[in-house]
Amino acid sequence: MNRYLLSIIIFTSSIFAQIELPRLSPKASVSQTIGYTVISIEYSRPGVKGRKIWGDLVPYNKVWRTGANESTRITFTTDVIIEGNKIPAGIYSLYTIPNENEWTVIINKALTWGINYYPEQDVLRFNVKPESAPFTERLLFTIPELTDSSCNVVMNWENLQISFKVEVELTKQVYEKIKNAIANAKNDDWQIYVVASNYAAEHNVFLDEAFQWIDKALSMSKNFNCYLTKAKLYFKKNNYVDALKMIDLCREAGRNDEDYQHHLIEIDLLEKQIKENMK
């Protein structure tokens, strides 16, 4: 190689090294909070660009980074459950093995560039069924459906879609938060016991313990909220007689409380529900 040609190569390489060009597959992210858990996905978005994707650009029966550039990353800020398997909080690569009739989804510990996949780092593998979907030019992850304790992670590209469900143990997490708050409560902090008991009543969980919490609150204060919450607990236990007694005590305690007026609709509705169930 002559000196002139070598200088051109060095000069050209130097120019490209100094210019940050835009990615052909731009970065993207999506996140969703479920209870206390943040689920987020970071990935790059390749385009169809008139190409045949499945079985061609993305081969069948081979590990795919489920995007472009770096491996797609999925993050859980608390432990989650996927397909009945508990996954510890952390950052993982999300690989897939596409096929015409069934895909394998892989949760993997190694965070890599390209298709540098290390099977010994697998945390979980499970299968999903691909479905037909409206055309999507650039690969897209969404979290369109959720409940209080779960969500669906969806990937669309070209005319195909896959999805899987992520769940959190929300009731267990809430209970731990409640127990921690009660352990650190001040001697006159009746509100903490009301909040804890009200959650139990609203979600129909740990009701027996909630009665202990609300009685603790009542030992500190005869606020109408205490009686209202205890009425809710009795209602969940189908003890309508005692629930109505608590409603009466709630109304009596609320006569001289300015905040009581803001809860009248809730109190009236609960009383109506109790009486309807007594018929």
Side-chain angles (χ1 to χ4, degrees):
M1 182 183 297
N2 62 46
R3 187 174 301 176
Y4 175 72
L5 181 58
L6 180 61
S7 66
I8 290 176
I9 293 173
I10 294 173
F11 176 73
T12 303
S13 299
S14 176
I15 289 176
F16 280 112
Q18 295 176 33
I19 300 175
E20 183 181 353
L21 298 175
R23 289 189 176 200
L24 295 177
S25 301
K27 281 187 172 183
S29 64
V30 61
S31 68
Q32 178 63 57
T33 301
I34 307 293
Y36 306 107
T37 306
V38 179
I39 300 167
S40 58
I41 303 169
E42 296 182 33
Y43 64 107
S44 295
R45 301 186 63 189
V48 175
K49 301 178 182 178
R51 299 173 291 184
K52 176 176 170 56
I53 302 302
W54 311 116
D56 193 338
L57 181 66
V58 178
Y60 287 138
N61 302 315
K62 290 187 177 181
V63 174
W64 178 44
R65 72 191 108 176
T66 326
N69 303 320
E70 303 93 341
S71 60
T72 292
R73 281 91 192 271
I74 187 165
T75 302
F76 310 111
T77 57
T78 74
D79 296 352
V80 299
I81 297 171
I82 301 177
E83 296 298 309
N85 296 276
K86 182 174 284 189
I87 304 298
I91 305 174
Y92 302 93
S93 287
L94 176 62
Y95 293 105
T96 49
I97 302 176
N99 205 313
E100 287 186 85
N101 300 314
E102 189 172 67
W103 283 39
T104 299
V105 179
I106 305 168
I107 308 296
N108 185 281
K109 292 181 180 179
L111 306 178
T112 67
W113 178 277
I115 53 173
N116 295 312
Y117 166 64
Y118 301 97
E120 67 275 11
Q121 296 291 319
D122 284 357
V123 175
L124 176 66
R125 282 184 170 219
F126 60 94
N127 296 327
V128 298
K129 295 290 185 181
E131 298 178 354
S132 297
F135 180 80
T136 302
E137 169 62 30
R138 288 194 176 273
L139 185 146
L140 177 66
F141 277 94
T142 57
I143 305 177
E145 298 178 11
L146 65 151
T147 69
D148 289 343
S149 59
S150 69
C151 70
N152 284 337
V153 173
V154 180
M155 186 220 74
N156 287 84
W157 196 22
E158 199 225 36
N159 292 113
L160 181 144
Q161 171 182 294
I162 63 165
S163 66
F164 59 90
K165 190 175 185 178
V166 180
E167 300 174 273
V168 298
E169 295 180 294
L170 185 60
T171 299
K172 178 181 177 182
Q173 292 173 350
V174 171
Y175 183 77
E176 290 173 353
K177 294 279 187 181
I178 288 173
K179 294 298 287 185
N180 183 62
I182 288 176
N184 293 284
K186 297 179 181 178
N187 291 333
D188 60 348
D189 197 352
W190 58 270
Q191 290 95 334
I192 282 182
Y193 295 93
V194 172
V195 170
S197 303
N198 192 67
Y199 183 91
E202 294 290 343
H203 294 85
N204 202 22
V205 293
F206 30 83
L207 295 179
D208 292 336
E209 199 164 357
F211 274 101
Q212 299 175 29
W213 298 336
I214 200 61
D215 285 341
K216 179 69 173 180
L218 281 164
S219 71
M220 301 179 194
S221 172
K222 298 299 187 286
N223 184 279
F224 76 90
N225 277 295
C226 299
Y227 292 114
L228 174 58
T229 301
K230 194 165 186 179
K232 292 178 183 179
L233 291 171
Y234 275 130
F235 180 62
K236 290 294 184 179
K237 282 286 195 177
N238 301 322
N239 186 340
Y240 306 125
V241 173
D242 285 332
L244 278 181
K245 290 179 180 178
M246 291 302 112
I247 290 291
D248 290 339
L249 291 171
C250 170
R251 294 191 185 282
E252 184 177 341
R255 288 177 182 174
N256 299 316
D257 192 321
E258 293 181 0
D259 191 44
Y260 172 74
Q261 297 299 321
H262 301 296
H263 293 264
L264 273 177
I265 294 177
E266 179 185 10
I267 296 166
D268 291 344
L269 178 60
L270 179 59
E271 183 175 26
K272 180 181 178 182
Q273 291 173 328
I274 293 169
K275 289 180 177 178
E276 286 176 349
N277 279 275
M278 294 178 73
K279 294 177 181 178

